[in-house]
Amino acid sequence: MRILAAMSGGVDSAVAAARAVEAGHDVVGVHLALSRAGGTLRTGSRGCCTIEDAMDARRAADMIGIPFYVWDFSARFRDDVIDDFIAEYRAGRTPNPCMRCNEKIKFAALLERALELGFDAVCTGHYASLVDSPEGLELHRASDAAKDQSYVLGVLNAEQLAHTYFPLGATPSKALVRAEAEERGLTVAHKPDSHDICFIPDGDTRGWLAEKVGATTGAIVDRTGAVVGSHEGAHAFTVGQRRGLQLGVPAPDGKPRFVLEVRPVSNTVVVGPREALATAEIAGERYSWAGRAPQPGSFACHVQIRAHADPVPATATLAEGGITVVPETPFDGVAPGQTAVLYDGTRVIGQFTVDRTVSAVPVGA
């Protein structure tokens, strides 16, 4: 195949590109410039898409022996990822920018351009597996459960999966990938993994949002509506948060209180006891399927609500109005805007954005 290898400048994408060449494919490397004014250097494991990352990717491509280009996707990234992130927080939701980047940039904008240029597939260093089953191509978890990234790939549809290549999916551990990179002479063999939000490299999401969204003082209330404190901007809070709450009225039982809900229209933050974070039901209208779609009605599955959360056995119901999921045991602190990924064993069924949650603990209980 003619393969376009997305090279971030890290070890995973470099080894993935090298394996694609070794498998006999015609490979071209590309680094995506996602910021018009990218930083020069990375700070440890924070940030990505810096000039340093682009140079690391170029050196890896040179060592592998493939052509290499840098493509400017900064405008698309701003519109589809950064602006979406800001809009979701303004609406009181908690978005996952990595999901949006995979959905809108790496496997939409990049894949579209790759196909236009005659490539057959886009190769990335994600830890996930593709299985060609009798019922069609399937997305599965990676062999290394600790590194599995199928959750953030749950937004991919069947057409996108048909033009995707994941060479690292069957690798037993990340340590083996680093060892292989060292054997190949790749200078990124021991480069730290990126984490946190790439466009907020200092990790201060609260401060960054305050600049973009603006801070307006509002009330913090309990589940009955009684005012128990104040805040300087509802955008700074997310469901499950405990720290940073300015509470002037202690809880009757003296226990800590947690954020249960953010109401942007009234600029109100709702707090309550830890047990009220238990979520008995989630639902959403925006969904997609990673391959064959389930039939309308109810079906058993496992549901994962965060990248590193344990999957929970659940019953999902697909109807005209969207998807409703009821877990066997309550989820822990789900916020609107989060992505719920549905699994059948190791196979990704699909995903949906959570629009509505139902607490497992009634008010006053």
Side-chain angles (χ1 to χ4, degrees):
M1 293 190 297
R2 290 196 68 215
I3 289 182
L4 187 67
M7 303 182 71
S8 66
V11 61
D12 294 327
S13 60
V15 170
R19 289 187 181 182
V21 172
E22 200 169 68
H25 301 297
D26 178 11
V27 181
V28 173
V30 63
H31 178 80
L32 302 185
L34 302 180
S35 172
R36 286 286 174 88
T40 301
L41 300 174
R42 297 171 84 245
T43 304
S45 59
R46 292 190 182 278
C48 70
C49 313
T50 63
I51 295 174
E52 178 189 358
D53 291 315
M55 294 305 296
D56 284 342
R58 181 177 295 278
R59 281 189 290 267
D62 289 345
M63 182 63 67
I64 297 167
I66 59 175
F68 177 82
Y69 301 91
V70 176
W71 288 355
D72 183 1
F73 274 39
S74 58
R76 184 77 180 260
F77 184 77
R78 182 196 63 231
D79 293 344
D80 289 342
V81 179
I82 298 178
D83 288 352
D84 174 79
F85 183 82
I86 295 170
E88 287 291 280
Y89 264 97
R90 278 199 179 112
R93 295 187 288 265
T94 302
N96 186 322
C98 293
M99 305 288 283
R100 295 290 80 78
C101 185
N102 283 333
E103 178 185 17
K104 301 292 187 178
I105 306 300
K106 294 175 183 174
F107 299 98
L110 178 61
L111 181 56
E112 287 166 9
R113 184 176 295 185
L115 295 176
E116 289 172 357
L117 294 174
F119 289 93
D120 299 303
V122 165
C123 166
T124 73
H126 286 99
Y127 287 79
S129 298
L130 293 173
V131 175
D132 194 1
S133 77
E135 296 180 302
L137 195 62
E138 298 176 346
L139 175 63
H140 283 253
R141 292 189 184 276
S143 296
D144 182 3
K147 292 298 295 181
D148 173 57
Q149 291 175 298
S150 61
Y151 173 85
V152 295
L153 298 171
V155 291
L156 303 189
N157 59 38
E159 178 64 20
Q160 291 167 329
L161 291 175
H163 298 285
T164 300
Y165 185 44
F166 299 131
L168 304 187
T171 306
S173 74
K174 176 64 175 274
L176 292 177
V177 172
R178 291 195 181 279
E180 181 178 332
E182 192 165 23
E183 290 174 3
R184 293 181 182 274
L186 300 174
T187 58
V188 293
H190 299 290
K191 185 175 180 177
D193 292 336
S194 295
H195 61 75
D196 292 329
I197 300 171
C198 69
F199 52 87
I200 310 178
D202 64 0
D204 183 14
T205 303
R206 184 171 184 169
W208 187 89
L209 282 169
E211 292 181 5
K212 304 296 182 181
V213 177
T216 303
T217 301
I220 299 178
V221 302
D222 64 18
R223 301 181 82 194
T224 69
V227 176
V228 295
S230 64
H231 65 77
E232 297 178 356
H235 65 271
F237 299 89
T238 188
V239 172
Q241 181 176 333
R242 174 185 173 187
R243 295 184 178 180
L245 297 176
Q246 300 176 24
L247 303 179
V249 179
D253 59 7
K255 293 182 179 179
R257 283 183 284 205
F258 297 77
V259 174
L260 304 180
E261 186 182 352
V262 177
R263 297 172 179 170
V265 174
S266 61
N267 193 30
T268 302
V269 175
V270 182
V271 297
R274 176 73 178 81
E275 53 268 25
L277 287 170
T279 304
E281 181 181 306
I282 58 177
E285 299 177 1
R286 296 168 289 172
Y287 56 84
S288 64
W289 307 117
R292 64 184 184 276
Q295 295 296 316
S298 298
F299 57 93
C301 61
H302 280 71
V303 179
Q304 189 169 328
I305 57 171
R306 297 182 184 86
H308 303 293
D310 292 329
V312 176
T315 298
T317 301
L318 175 62
E320 187 175 341
I323 302 175
T324 300
V325 169
V326 177
E328 288 187 7
T329 56
F331 296 117
D332 185 23
V334 184
Q338 284 183 235
T339 301
V341 177
L342 282 58
Y343 289 84
D344 177 10
T346 62
R347 180 177 72 88
V348 176
I349 301 172
Q351 62 80 36
F352 68 94
T353 301
V354 176
D355 296 322
R356 179 176 59 84
T357 67
V358 177
S359 176
V361 180
V363 176

